[in-house]
Amino acid sequence: MDIPFLNLQAINARHADELKAAAARVIDSGWYILGQELAAFEREFADYCGVRHAIGVGNGLDALALILRAYKELGQLHDGDEVIVPGNTFIASFLAVTESRLVPVPVEPDSASFNIDPSAVEAAIGPRTRAIMAVHLYGQLADMPALAELANRHQLLLIEDAAQAHGAASGGRRAGALGHAAGFSFFPVKNLGALGDGGAVVTNDTLLADRVAALRNYGSAEKYRHLYQGINSRLDELQAALLRVKLKYLDEDIARRRQVALRYREGIRHPQIGLPSVAHEEQHVWHLFVVRCAQRDALQRHLQAHGIQTQVHYPIPPHRQSAYPALRDVRLPLTERLHEEVLSLPIGPVLHDEEVERVIAACQSFEGNA
Ligand SMILES: *Cc1c(COP(=O)(O)O)cnc(C)c1O
């Protein structure tokens, strides 16, 4: 039997009865957009994150873009302003910036955590810098105290891309409550996944929350009165109802992911396989378990031969994508090297102990050409 990278079917099957009851409730209600389920989920998710406001939107990319758009409506950002972003991230972090007619300035990661390096951020701050987009990569918090200190000192906005980090915490404060605003994704494979697309903006800033709420709904807070040139990006009632079910189990799921990660970190002891570094257990929710190996492709083939599915997050950094010719000359040697060496092992709340042991044994039997 193969070990899948992530078994979404099994993840949702655990709650099939509750999910079906929630879906039936929405179907029978006759109300499908901007209703009670969304309002309830927004309250519950804001409480979970420990912030005043959550606004459900269509997906994680829109969540990030709507934060930036809302800051523009508030006069805190302007066309052409620079946003410092980690070079080592999913392209959505960049797309949110460019879609908002802002300029992404990519910087190198910390070589241990692969998360954005605050000293690289500091070196990149210039006269047009207005914001830092911190990505909690793979589910581990970026160094938010250091980034908050920089943001404070230089009067920059600090935005969290928390798409991979629902529930990660530092000193009891969760992702979403560690900057000025945060974007979450509920894409099905995320740690809190809908059964379709979904996302949310969370913030303590009431003015920002009101702008985002209007912008996601044609720029309107009141029917047929349009304050801004908004978009249509709303978390629908069905996804909100399903997410209310899944939110109840998020902490259990995180606990299981941490068990799996701990066992991998104890069991995989191979001179050619670099294990992820963890600053503090509470800060990592293990959306992905990413190892580093100079012979990454050979390791991936070896694991595949043992029936173990792996993935690469990510094979090509955003600044090297055809979508960004303007960034073609940017040089980020560490970022570029990481993209050739990272490999994500199976991890998730339904991975069994026997499967974890099989992954460990297969890693241990890897014979790279040293
Ligand atoms: C998934 C993800 C996004 C985008 O979320 P979508 O819901 O797929 O639009 C943004 N940033 C990061 C780091 C992600 O992993």
Side-chain angles (χ1 to χ4, degrees), residues 294-356:
Q295 298 167 65
R296 188 262 314 280
D297 294 346
L299 176 61
Q300 184 167 39
R301 280 193 302 273
H302 171 81
L303 294 175
Q304 187 63 57
H306 286 76
I308 296 160
Q309 282 181 11
T310 58
Q311 292 188 12
V312 173
H313 298 91
Y314 298 90
I316 306 170
H319 72 283
R320 285 298 175 81
Q321 298 282 355
S322 307
Y324 284 118
L327 299 176
R328 195 180 298 137
D329 296 330
V330 171
R331 288 289 168 267
L332 300 171
L334 181 53
T335 298
E336 287 152 24
R337 184 142 164 238
L338 280 178
H339 283 69
E340 288 167 11
E341 298 187 350
V342 290
L343 188 67
S344 305
L345 303 184
I347 193 164
V350 299
L351 201 63
H352 299 295
D353 288 343
E354 311 81 67
E355 294 175 313
V356 174

Side-chain angles (χ1 to χ4, degrees), residues 130-327:
R130 292 291 176 273
I132 302 168
M133 170 97 69
V135 180
H136 304 313
L137 195 69
Y138 308 147
Q140 177 159 234
L141 294 182
D143 184 350
M144 295 306 284
L147 295 174
E149 192 278 319
L150 282 176
N152 243 335
R153 182 144 48 90
H154 296 272
Q155 298 194 315
L156 307 174
L157 296 166
L158 179 55
I159 297 160
E160 301 174 74
D161 178 344
Q164 304 186 352
H166 323 68
S170 170
R173 282 167 68 213
R174 285 188 167 136
L178 304 172
H180 295 109
F184 283 90
S185 166
F186 308 123
F187 184 68
V189 307
K190 305 289 167 145
N191 286 17
L192 178 59
L195 278 68
D197 275 313
V201 172
V202 307
T203 182
N204 281 316
D205 181 340
T206 303
L207 284 178
L208 183 76
D210 289 347
R211 290 298 192 286
V212 170
L215 284 168
R216 74 170 169 183
N217 187 38
Y218 312 113
S220 163
E222 192 188 325
K223 203 166 188 184
Y224 300 130
R225 290 180 68 92
H226 301 274
L227 302 165
Y228 321 104
Q229 294 170 18
I231 61 171
N232 175 4
S233 181
R234 301 167 301 210
L235 185 67
D236 64 66
E237 288 287 285
L238 185 57
Q239 297 308 330
L242 299 172
L243 283 165
R244 290 182 69 196
V245 173
K246 294 194 68 181
L247 180 57
K248 293 191 292 179
Y249 302 101
L250 177 57
D251 284 343
E252 272 172 40
D253 285 2
I254 291 170
R256 177 58 188 160
R257 285 174 182 272
R258 285 188 176 136
Q259 280 178 346
V260 173
L262 198 60
R263 185 61 203 119
Y264 278 162
R265 284 153 63 208
E266 289 166 356
I268 301 173
R269 289 172 183 277
H270 192 295
Q272 288 163 293
I273 301 176
L275 294 171
S277 89
V278 187
H280 194 291
E281 300 297 329
E282 176 196 44
Q283 293 180 18
H284 208 325
V285 292
W286 300 101
H287 173 58
L288 297 170
F289 189 95
V290 177
V291 299
R292 188 171 172 189
C293 178
Q295 298 167 65
R296 188 262 314 280
D297 294 346
L299 176 61
Q300 184 167 39
R301 280 193 302 273
H302 171 81
L303 294 175
Q304 187 63 57
H306 286 76
I308 296 160
Q309 282 181 11
T310 58
Q311 292 188 12
V312 173
H313 298 91
Y314 298 90
I316 306 170
H319 72 283
R320 285 298 175 81
Q321 298 282 355
S322 307
Y324 284 118
L327 299 176

Side-chain angles (χ1 to χ4, degrees), residues 12 28 43 68 91 123 198 228 247 279 312 346 368:
N12 290 319
D28 294 343
R43 242 183 352 264
L68 297 170
I91 197 167
Y228 321 104
L247 180 57
V312 173

